Amino acid sequence: AILSISLYSLFVTAALPVYALPFNMIVLLFLYVLKFRIKPSKKLTEVVIQQNSPEKNLYSFENDTERFRYDMVPMRLPFYGTWVVAQGYEGSITHKGSWRHAMDFVIHDQEGKQFKDKGDLPEDYFCYNKPVLAPADGIIESVTDNIEDNIIGKPNIRENWGNTVIIRHNQHVYSSLSHLRNGSIIVRPGERVRQGSVIGKCGNSGRSPYPHLHFQVQTLPYIGSYTLHYPLSYYMELKKDDFELKNYSVPETGRSVSNIQTNERLANAFDIVPGKNFCFEMDKNGKKEIHRWEVDANEYNIPFIKCLSSGAIAYFSNDGNLFMFRHYEGKKDTLLYFFFLSAFKIPLGFYRDIRIHDHFPLNLVTGRLLLFLQDFTAPFLKFIRSEYNLKYDYIDNEVMTTRLRLASSSATYFIRRRTSGYEFTIEVDEKGISALTVRNEKTSISATLCKE
């Protein structure tokens, strides 16, 4: 109001709308202030990828928030293999008060024991001397590596955290890994590390009655800083004999967890890097066509696959363990679109009988009429939902894999009634992705890699 009144006489002489400048200044200032928040609100936040449509922005933003969490550093488990959460958040022994958001990890054998023989020595424990990894890319902030390992059952309460490495991931996010073995730390302050880099080995130093790995995320670069609730980007959780993929979750006490154990054949097939080209022979309801794709990356280094004949583009991400499509632009009857639907989310390890679930942005899978109706109530009520499901259907040999098959599906539901969907199979062999089939009531597509 103050800006409008003070600028009225200036604007009226130039025949300009009096509200134009004040409105834009206030909007820009509001957006500018939002970007300075340390803890962004989930209810009031900026759109990361602008699609020039409020409805499209809403659908994509809600989907991306569940799948990518742009506001967070993607953290993974800091070890190889399967470990057990001995103590999680809000622990029964420590992990109390301002330090409640922390996890302790150990290794169990098939009988549920942590050690061999009588467990009188640190070396008897299965986790002792195992590699400890950087949970995310960052810079080593500080290192403590001069504290002797404890005798079993006699923790060192004077040097509570023991040998510790603190990694800075950004200005407000640090990870701390403690109780490492004396003399095992191989990184130094100021050194840059990548996610998965070995930084030391699990030990029994500090307030540690038996060997285990203590892991926490914090906002300050000091040993013993208050902890921060910070979910892991993804991990595998073993439940009885089945695995479940967890996204942006925190493992609970007693859970057996691991990073994705990649299958070399599957990882190579989805190693889709800029400069790579694809050619598929497609048979759609008896009509044959040739489809050629090329892989590139935009100015933000987000890779994409482009269909040369239709101009359609599918953006994706691949960190070597998990392949996910981000967004699709173009016609919805191309082979690339069906590949986008079929490979929407694929962990690059073969887990027999596992089921992977996800959701598509509504604007990418819903018919025009239904989407038109949904747009009116989108901010308040969703009566349409879209689902993606994947299962690992076949593998010839889990150790020396030459062929495997993935089966996936897409489905759109109006309230509880299924309105559309597809069934897919993706064949993988030594050449990579060798075939894709698409089926529903109206469509039958079979695409194979060109022989040329």
Side-chain angles (χ1 to χ4, degrees):
I2 295 172
L3 284 170
S4 299
I5 295 170
S6 62
L7 294 172
Y8 175 77
S9 59
L10 176 64
F11 274 50
V12 74
T13 57
L16 293 173
V18 67
Y19 297 112
L21 182 59
F23 175 80
N24 282 285
M25 289 180 65
I26 296 301
V27 169
L28 291 173
L29 180 62
F30 183 78
L31 294 174
Y32 183 70
V33 170
L34 287 182
K35 291 186 176 294
F36 281 91
R37 296 175 300 170
I38 295 176
K39 295 181 179 179
S41 167
K42 292 182 179 179
K43 296 183 179 179
L44 182 63
T45 185
E46 314 94 287
V47 172
V48 178
I49 300 175
Q50 176 61 249
Q51 298 191 47
N52 302 312
S53 164
E55 293 79 18
K56 290 181 180 179
N57 282 342
L58 175 62
Y59 300 139
S60 295
F61 179 79
E62 289 182 339
N63 191 257
D64 289 348
T65 299
E66 294 180 2
R67 306 179 77 224
F68 298 107
R69 297 291 297 271
Y70 295 111
D71 59 319
M72 299 183 67
V73 176
M75 294 277 181
R76 293 192 226 159
L77 293 169
F79 45 74
Y80 298 123
T82 301
W83 293 48
V84 176
V85 183
Q87 186 181 198
Y89 283 15
E90 305 282 358
S92 59
I93 304 171
T94 53
H95 304 181
K96 303 285 188 179
S98 299
W99 297 272
R100 65 187 179 277
H101 300 128
M103 292 176 282
D104 292 336
F105 296 99
V106 298
I107 296 178
H108 285 180
D109 63 9
Q110 293 182 345
E111 297 177 354
K113 294 179 61 177
Q114 296 184 38
F115 52 81
K116 61 183 180 181
D117 301 328
K118 296 182 179 181
D120 294 332
L121 301 172
E123 293 82 0
D124 292 341
Y125 285 74
F126 303 124
C127 69
Y128 186 77
N129 213 32
K130 293 294 188 295
V132 175
L133 315 178
D137 295 352
I139 297 174
I140 302 299
E141 184 71 24
S142 67
V143 172
T144 301
D145 191 20
N146 57 0
I147 302 172
E148 293 295 331
D149 285 340
N150 303 320
I151 297 172
I152 297 299
K154 294 185 177 181
N156 178 358
I157 59 174
R158 290 178 297 116
E159 297 165 303
N160 188 65
W161 304 95
N163 299 309
T164 298
V165 174
I166 295 179
I167 306 173
R168 171 163 50 92
H169 304 290
N170 65 30
Q171 190 175 0
H172 304 290
V173 177
Y174 298 81
S175 62
S176 179
L177 301 112
S178 300
H179 308 313
L180 306 185
R181 181 172 67 80
N182 185 29
S184 72
I185 298 174
I186 60 174
V187 293
R188 295 293 177 262
E191 182 178 340
R192 185 176 295 276
V193 293
R194 300 295 301 272
Q195 189 282 323
S197 300
V198 176
I199 61 172
K201 294 185 177 180
C202 183
N204 193 38
S205 58
R207 187 177 176 180
S208 177
Y210 57 85
H212 70 281
L213 173 63
H214 176 95
F215 171 58
Q216 67 182 49
V217 178
Q218 54 197 49
T219 59
L220 296 174
Y222 311 113
I223 291 180
S225 295
Y226 292 167
T227 58
L228 177 67
H229 182 282
Y230 212 89
L232 301 171
S233 56
Y234 58 82
Y235 59 91
M236 304 301 297
E237 182 174 296
L238 178 61
K239 294 183 176 180
K240 294 184 179 179
D241 296 326
D242 296 327
F243 283 95
E244 180 180 351
L245 178 66
K246 293 285 190 175
N247 286 94
Y248 291 101
S249 181
V250 176
E252 298 177 357
T253 300
R255 301 295 189 182
S256 296
V257 294
S258 71
N259 289 310
I260 295 174
Q261 307 297 311
T262 58
N263 175 280
E264 184 178 1
R265 184 68 65 195
L266 192 58
N268 289 339
F270 284 89
D271 185 23
I272 303 173
V273 296
K276 194 168 185 177
N277 296 291
F278 293 90
C279 175
F280 286 96
E281 298 178 2
M282 185 181 78
D283 186 320
K284 182 178 182 180
N285 297 328
K287 181 181 178 181
K288 295 186 178 181
E289 300 174 355
I290 297 293
H291 285 254
R292 299 182 186 275
W293 304 340
E294 66 177 13
V295 185
D296 205 343
N298 65 12
E299 62 272 26
Y300 301 107
N301 287 325
I302 299 176
F304 61 83
I305 305 172
K306 182 176 182 179
C307 176
L308 298 181
S309 57
S310 67
I313 294 178
Y315 295 91
F316 66 92
S317 66
N318 183 1
D319 62 6
N321 294 278
L322 183 66
F323 179 93
M324 290 198 292
F325 275 111
R326 291 172 173 263
H327 181 60
Y328 178 85
E329 297 175 357
K331 297 180 178 180
K332 297 180 181 179
D333 59 355
T334 67
L335 183 63
L336 181 58
Y337 176 69
F338 293 120
F339 182 55
F340 166 82
L341 296 179
S342 66
F344 193 60
K345 181 177 184 177
I346 298 182
L348 301 178
F350 194 95
Y351 291 87
R352 195 179 297 275
D353 298 326
I354 194 175
R355 297 292 190 272
I356 305 298
H357 306 281
D358 210 329
H359 298 275
F360 297 101
L362 292 181
N363 60 299
L364 297 181
V365 295
T366 308
R368 291 184 178 181
L369 178 58
L370 277 180
L371 189 63
F372 177 76
L373 297 174
Q374 178 65 89
D375 287 348
F376 284 98
T377 64
F380 317 104
L381 174 67
K382 301 288 194 311
F383 53 80
I384 301 174
R385 77 178 193 275
S386 62
E387 293 185 356
Y388 167 81
N389 289 283
L390 169 74
K391 67 177 182 179
Y392 293 76
D393 193 44
Y394 168 80
I395 189 170
D396 58 355
N397 188 307
E398 294 191 20
V399 179
M400 300 292 292
T401 305
T402 57
R403 290 182 61 252
L404 56 87
R405 182 172 59 245
L406 309 176
S408 61
S409 65
S410 68
T412 301
Y413 295 87
F414 175 70
I415 306 178
R416 295 184 178 181
R417 179 174 174 270
R418 176 169 168 158
T419 60
S420 63
Y422 295 93
E423 302 291 330
F424 310 97
T425 59
I426 303 173
E427 301 277 352
V428 173
D429 61 19
E430 65 278 0
K431 295 179 181 179
I433 301 169
S434 59
L436 170 66
T437 61
V438 184
R439 297 281 188 277
N440 74 355
E441 297 81 3
K442 300 178 180 179
T443 304
S444 176
I445 297 175
S446 177
T448 57
L449 199 66
C450 293
K451 297 179 181 179
E452 59 184 35

